[in-house]
Amino acid sequence: MKYYLSTIRNYANFDGRAGRAEYWWFRLVDALIHAALLALAIVASQLSHDRAPAIGITLTGLFFLYALAMVLPNWAASARRLHDTDRSGANLLFALIPLFGGIVLLVLLSLSGTRGPNRYGWDPTMPPDGYQPGSAALPPGAVPAAATFGPNLPDPAQRYMHAPAQPFIQSKPKFLVRLILAPVLLLAACMLGGPALIDLARSHSDDGQSTTSGNASSPRSDDSAVARDGAAKVRGVATPGSRRSTYPVRQISDLTRVCDGWYYPQAPRYTGLAPHPIITASRNRLLNDTWMASENFQTPEAAWPPAKKAWQPSDPTKVGVVACADRIATRSTVRTCHVDSKPPADVTMKQAVFRVTLYEVATRNKLMQTQVTGDDEDCGPILILVDQHDQTYTSVSDRQMWETLKRYVEQ
């Protein structure tokens, strides 16, 4: 801890030298503090987002403030560590070279320092009474009394000793310039490079599913309580043959007509800030070939808390999008369901493939379409529906539907 405090005292001091012990102990303590603050911020955000979100926000802000405040001391300590090896602090620019530059800089920071004084100052490991100028027992690498000393060293006739302690602020103008310039440069880098990195990450869906929109942003996995406007990036395609409804939405069952080709101009548009209320519907070809809405959609714990009600909307007139899951193909057998009938029977369950299409209720614009393989292999606790071949099929679970559509509801 003494090395950490020593480095903090030399907050913006780029002059002088820093030994290996001082530098690496400082980096270790600094990394532990970063990790502790980050862990506290994550845990607090997870546990308090519903009850006291300010706690998580405060700890997250504290982490970023500490990280910002430690930029200058890290740069200064690295420069003094390079000085200890008789190298210029300009070698820190190696960090700008991808991959290999960081390795080279790490090696330079790990080298042992020069014995005795060098052009950057006194040896920080030299004991105060180590030796006298002109002594026959000079430490290895020490500069003899008759040698030419750099401008930062005292007169050769003086006794070898530790460099004097540096004040907290070396030069007020220089300190203020460094204190202001470093955060400005860091914020500028985040503002310029952050959006590009986010757009690059969003261009690849984390579940590997393709969409017809092309502009749909990728799903967000965070639990942030900040409202999001991802709908502005989604451009739907008008579906040919759609028909205008002569009456507005009155109940949940009216929304399933969107899957059959109807749209409701009075319904809210898919725009603005998330969450966006949604109804999911599936066509049960084993039961009258009709679309059935899921009115008790079960959201997983990972869902964005403010969006959970959007998956179970109480007011159908507020619903802006409808997802239609239609079985289009079947595959191999996945299991056998035993039916307690008279006589008992075994029913074969086959894997079903569904086409999931997301429509805007107000226009029936197609916002997204993809194929999923039903993952729900539940045989049913009471009854099971079979076709004319005594076969049943997997269905799309609420969890699978959430994974497929969460980007359009929660972002």
Side-chain angles (χ1 to χ4, degrees):
M1 184 58 73
K2 68 176 181 179
Y3 293 121
Y4 176 83
L5 297 177
S6 173
T7 304
I8 295 300
R9 284 194 294 269
N10 286 276
Y11 186 86
N13 178 24
F14 286 78
D15 300 324
R17 300 166 58 176
R20 278 191 296 189
E22 177 184 353
Y23 177 76
W24 289 112
W25 275 110
F26 161 72
R27 294 303 299 268
L28 175 61
V29 175
D30 181 53
L32 292 176
I33 294 176
H34 271 92
L37 291 175
L38 180 60
L40 286 174
I42 293 175
V43 172
S45 298
Q46 292 291 331
L47 297 180
S48 64
H49 55 71
D50 285 332
R51 296 180 295 275
I55 298 178
I57 296 174
T58 301
L59 290 176
T60 302
L62 181 62
F63 167 77
F64 282 108
L65 285 176
Y66 177 79
L68 189 63
M70 294 306 294
V71 171
L72 268 181
N74 272 283
W75 289 353
S78 299
R80 295 199 304 274
R81 177 80 269 272
L82 291 171
H83 291 170
D84 191 44
T85 64
D86 203 20
R87 291 177 174 83
S88 170
N91 286 281
L92 290 174
L93 296 177
F94 275 116
L96 300 178
I97 303 175
L99 186 60
F100 297 105
I103 297 175
V104 172
L105 182 58
L106 180 63
V107 172
L108 294 180
L109 292 171
S110 302
L111 295 176
S112 60
T114 57
R115 293 287 292 174
N118 62 20
R119 54 180 169 158
Y120 295 104
W122 293 104
D123 184 352
T125 63
M126 187 66 63
D129 299 321
Y131 55 90
Q132 295 278 350
S135 170
L138 292 177
V143 181
T148 301
F149 285 76
N152 295 328
L153 300 179
D155 188 275
Q158 296 181 2
R159 185 180 181 85
Y160 283 92
M161 57 189 301
H162 279 295
Q166 301 291 340
F168 180 73
I169 300 178
Q170 300 296 315
S171 169
K172 289 185 178 180
K174 185 186 295 186
F175 174 78
L176 291 177
V177 170
R178 291 170 177 172
L179 188 62
I180 295 173
L181 185 59
V184 169
L185 292 177
L186 186 61
L187 290 175
C190 293
M191 294 175 63
L192 295 177
L197 293 176
I198 293 174
D199 289 341
L200 179 63
R202 285 179 173 175
S203 64
H204 301 280
S205 174
D206 65 350
D207 54 7
Q209 297 169 347
S210 61
T211 67
T212 58
S213 65
N215 291 331
S217 54
S218 60
R220 293 279 297 269
S221 59
D222 60 26
D223 291 329
S224 171
V226 180
R228 291 163 277 190
D229 191 10
K233 298 184 178 181
V234 179
R235 297 293 180 266
V237 179
T239 307
S242 299
R243 293 161 290 178
R244 177 190 181 104
S245 176
T246 57
Y247 57 87
V249 174
R250 296 165 298 187
Q251 54 191 1
I252 294 294
S253 59
D254 291 337
L255 294 168
T256 61
R257 298 178 70 224
V258 176
C259 301
D260 284 326
W262 297 90
Y263 65 94
Y264 298 86
Q266 303 91 339
R269 297 295 302 270
Y270 179 67
T271 185
L273 301 178
H276 306 285
I278 184 175
I279 283 294
T280 61
S282 59
R283 192 198 317 251
N284 193 333
R285 297 183 181 273
L286 303 177
L287 184 64
N288 300 327
D289 200 24
T290 58
W291 291 96
M292 301 294 294
S294 177
E295 300 186 25
N296 295 312
F297 193 92
Q298 299 298 316
T299 55
E301 290 296 328
W304 185 38
K308 291 186 176 182
K309 291 183 179 179
W311 292 96
Q312 300 177 3
S314 57
D315 185 358
T317 63
K318 303 297 184 182
V319 176
V321 286
V322 171
C324 308
D326 191 14
R327 177 163 58 88
I328 58 174
T330 58
R331 293 178 180 171
S332 59
T333 301
V334 293
R335 64 174 301 183
T336 299
C337 296
H338 182 74
V339 181
D340 292 329
S341 58
K342 293 183 179 182
D346 291 331
V347 176
T348 300
M349 177 179 286
K350 290 195 172 183
Q351 196 172 57
V353 179
F354 293 83
R355 180 173 55 235
V356 178
T357 309
L358 186 68
Y359 294 106
E360 184 180 38
V361 178
T363 61
R364 205 171 180 268
N365 283 353
K366 186 190 299 181
L367 305 179
M368 180 277 291
Q369 187 176 78
T370 189
Q371 291 185 8
V372 299
T373 302
D375 64 340
D376 189 353
E377 301 178 5
D378 187 11
C379 291
I382 300 177
L383 59 88
I384 184 170
L385 299 174
V386 298
D387 60 9
Q388 65 272 22
H389 304 293
D390 291 334
Q391 293 179 345
T392 189
Y393 305 92
T394 60
S395 59
V396 181
S397 66
D398 288 350
R399 174 77 189 206
Q400 187 177 22
M401 192 70 79
W402 176 79
E403 289 285 355
T404 304
L405 302 171
K406 61 182 179 180
R407 75 186 72 177
Y408 302 99
V409 178
E410 301 182 10
Q411 186 174 27

PDB file of all heavy atoms in Angstrom, residues 10-21:
ATOM      1  N   ASN A  10       2.666  11.408  -6.142  1.00  0.00           N
ATOM      2  CA  ASN A  10       3.271  11.899  -7.385  1.00  0.00           C
ATOM      3  C   ASN A  10       2.243  11.827  -8.508  1.00  0.00           C
ATOM      4  O   ASN A  10       2.517  11.308  -9.590  1.00  0.00           O
ATOM      5  CB  ASN A  10       4.495  11.049  -7.744  1.00  0.00           C
ATOM      6  CG  ASN A  10       5.667  11.358  -6.849  1.00  0.00           C
ATOM      7  OD1 ASN A  10       6.412  12.295  -7.079  1.00  0.00           O
ATOM      8  ND2 ASN A  10       5.826  10.559  -5.801  1.00  0.00           N
ATOM      9  N   TYR A  11       1.037  12.336  -8.244  1.00  0.00           N
ATOM     10  CA  TYR A  11      -0.133  12.147  -9.102  1.00  0.00           C
ATOM     11  C   TYR A  11       0.159  12.447 -10.573  1.00  0.00           C
ATOM     12  O   TYR A  11      -0.096  11.632 -11.445  1.00  0.00           O
ATOM     13  CB  TYR A  11      -1.264  13.054  -8.612  1.00  0.00           C
ATOM     14  CG  TYR A  11      -2.574  12.847  -9.328  1.00  0.00           C
ATOM     15  CD1 TYR A  11      -3.468  11.876  -8.907  1.00  0.00           C
ATOM     16  CD2 TYR A  11      -2.913  13.625 -10.428  1.00  0.00           C
ATOM     17  CE1 TYR A  11      -4.669  11.675  -9.555  1.00  0.00           C
ATOM     18  CE2 TYR A  11      -4.118  13.439 -11.086  1.00  0.00           C
ATOM     19  CZ  TYR A  11      -4.993  12.460 -10.649  1.00  0.00           C
ATOM     20  OH  TYR A  11      -6.182  12.261 -11.305  1.00  0.00           O
ATOM     21  N   ALA A  12       0.696  13.617 -10.866  1.00  0.00           N
ATOM     22  CA  ALA A  12       0.937  14.018 -12.255  1.00  0.00           C
ATOM     23  C   ALA A  12       2.407  14.308 -12.485  1.00  0.00           C
ATOM     24  O   ALA A  12       2.768  15.153 -13.299  1.00  0.00           O
ATOM     25  CB  ALA A  12       0.093  15.233 -12.608  1.00  0.00           C
ATOM     26  N   ASN A  13       3.270  13.598 -11.776  1.00  0.00           N
ATOM     27  CA  ASN A  13       4.709  13.815 -11.881  1.00  0.00           C
ATOM     28  C   ASN A  13       5.302  12.862 -12.915  1.00  0.00           C
ATOM     29  O   ASN A  13       5.371  11.652 -12.690  1.00  0.00           O
ATOM     30  CB  ASN A  13       5.368  13.603 -10.516  1.00  0.00           C
ATOM     31  CG  ASN A  13       6.875  13.782 -10.589  1.00  0.00           C
ATOM     32  OD1 ASN A  13       7.381  14.466 -11.481  1.00  0.00           O
ATOM     33  ND2 ASN A  13       7.583  13.175  -9.645  1.00  0.00           N
ATOM     34  N   PHE A  14       5.721  13.421 -14.052  1.00  0.00           N
ATOM     35  CA  PHE A  14       6.337  12.620 -15.111  1.00  0.00           C
ATOM     36  C   PHE A  14       7.853  12.682 -15.057  1.00  0.00           C
ATOM     37  O   PHE A  14       8.523  12.184 -15.973  1.00  0.00           O
ATOM     38  CB  PHE A  14       5.852  13.108 -16.488  1.00  0.00           C
ATOM     39  CG  PHE A  14       4.432  12.718 -16.792  1.00  0.00           C
ATOM     40  CD1 PHE A  14       3.370  13.421 -16.235  1.00  0.00           C
ATOM     41  CD2 PHE A  14       4.153  11.653 -17.628  1.00  0.00           C
ATOM     42  CE1 PHE A  14       2.058  13.079 -16.519  1.00  0.00           C
ATOM     43  CE2 PHE A  14       2.845  11.294 -17.911  1.00  0.00           C
ATOM     44  CZ  PHE A  14       1.791  12.003 -17.357  1.00  0.00           C
ATOM     45  N   ASP A  15       8.404  13.296 -14.011  1.00  0.00           N
ATOM     46  CA  ASP A  15       9.855  13.419 -13.870  1.00  0.00           C
ATOM     47  C   ASP A  15      10.356  12.431 -12.826  1.00  0.00           C
ATOM     48  O   ASP A  15       9.630  12.040 -11.913  1.00  0.00           O
ATOM     49  CB  ASP A  15      10.235  14.840 -13.459  1.00  0.00           C
ATOM     50  CG  ASP A  15       9.785  15.877 -14.486  1.00  0.00           C
ATOM     51  OD1 ASP A  15       9.829  15.550 -15.687  1.00  0.00           O
ATOM     52  OD2 ASP A  15       9.367  16.978 -14.076  1.00  0.00           O
ATOM     53  N   GLY A  16      11.617  12.061 -12.939  1.00  0.00           N
ATOM     54  CA  GLY A  16      12.201  11.150 -11.974  1.00  0.00           C
ATOM     55  C   GLY A  16      12.044   9.693 -12.376  1.00  0.00           C
ATOM     56  O   GLY A  16      11.733   9.368 -13.537  1.00  0.00           O
ATOM     57  N   ARG A  17      12.256   8.804 -11.408  1.00  0.00           N
ATOM     58  CA  ARG A  17      12.290   7.365 -11.674  1.00  0.00           C
ATOM     59  C   ARG A  17      11.397   6.621 -10.687  1.00  0.00           C
ATOM     60  O   ARG A  17      11.121   7.105  -9.590  1.00  0.00           O
ATOM     61  CB  ARG A  17      13.737   6.850 -11.555  1.00  0.00           C
ATOM     62  CG  ARG A  17      14.690   7.498 -12.511  1.00  0.00           C
ATOM     63  CD  ARG A  17      16.143   7.225 -12.164  1.00  0.00           C
ATOM     64  NE  ARG A  17      16.455   5.806 -12.136  1.00  0.00           N
ATOM     65  CZ  ARG A  17      17.681   5.318 -11.928  1.00  0.00           C
ATOM     66  NH1 ARG A  17      18.696   6.148 -11.721  1.00  0.00           N
ATOM     67  NH2 ARG A  17      17.881   4.015 -11.913  1.00  0.00           N
ATOM     68  N   ALA A  18      10.947   5.432 -11.110  1.00  0.00           N
ATOM     69  CA  ALA A  18      10.143   4.553 -10.262  1.00  0.00           C
ATOM     70  C   ALA A  18      10.659   3.134 -10.419  1.00  0.00           C
ATOM     71  O   ALA A  18      10.755   2.616 -11.545  1.00  0.00           O
ATOM     72  CB  ALA A  18       8.668   4.626 -10.641  1.00  0.00           C
ATOM     73  N   GLY A  19      11.010   2.505  -9.303  1.00  0.00           N
ATOM     74  CA  GLY A  19      11.514   1.143  -9.339  1.00  0.00           C
ATOM     75  C   GLY A  19      10.428   0.131  -9.696  1.00  0.00           C
ATOM     76  O   GLY A  19       9.234   0.427  -9.683  1.00  0.00           O
ATOM     77  N   ARG A  20      10.880  -1.085  -9.975  1.00  0.00           N
ATOM     78  CA  ARG A  20       9.928  -2.134 -10.345  1.00  0.00           C
ATOM     79  C   ARG A  20       8.954  -2.428  -9.221  1.00  0.00           C
ATOM     80  O   ARG A  20       7.742  -2.593  -9.444  1.00  0.00           O
ATOM     81  CB  ARG A  20      10.669  -3.407 -10.743  1.00  0.00           C
ATOM     82  CG  ARG A  20      11.154  -3.389 -12.163  1.00  0.00           C
ATOM     83  CD  ARG A  20      11.629  -4.739 -12.613  1.00  0.00           C
ATOM     84  NE  ARG A  20      12.779  -5.214 -11.880  1.00  0.00           N
ATOM     85  CZ  ARG A  20      13.482  -6.291 -12.210  1.00  0.00           C
ATOM     86  NH1 ARG A  20      13.123  -7.017 -13.246  1.00  0.00           N
ATOM     87  NH2 ARG A  20      14.528  -6.667 -11.502  1.00  0.00           N
ATOM     88  N   ALA A  21       9.440  -2.514  -7.996  1.00  0.00           N
ATOM     89  CA  ALA A  21       8.549  -2.823  -6.874  1.00  0.00           C
ATOM     90  C   ALA A  21       7.477  -1.749  -6.717  1.00  0.00           C
ATOM     91  O   ALA A  21       6.288  -2.038  -6.555  1.00  0.00           O
ATOM     92  CB  ALA A  21       9.351  -2.972  -5.588  1.00  0.00           C
TER      93      ALA A  21
END
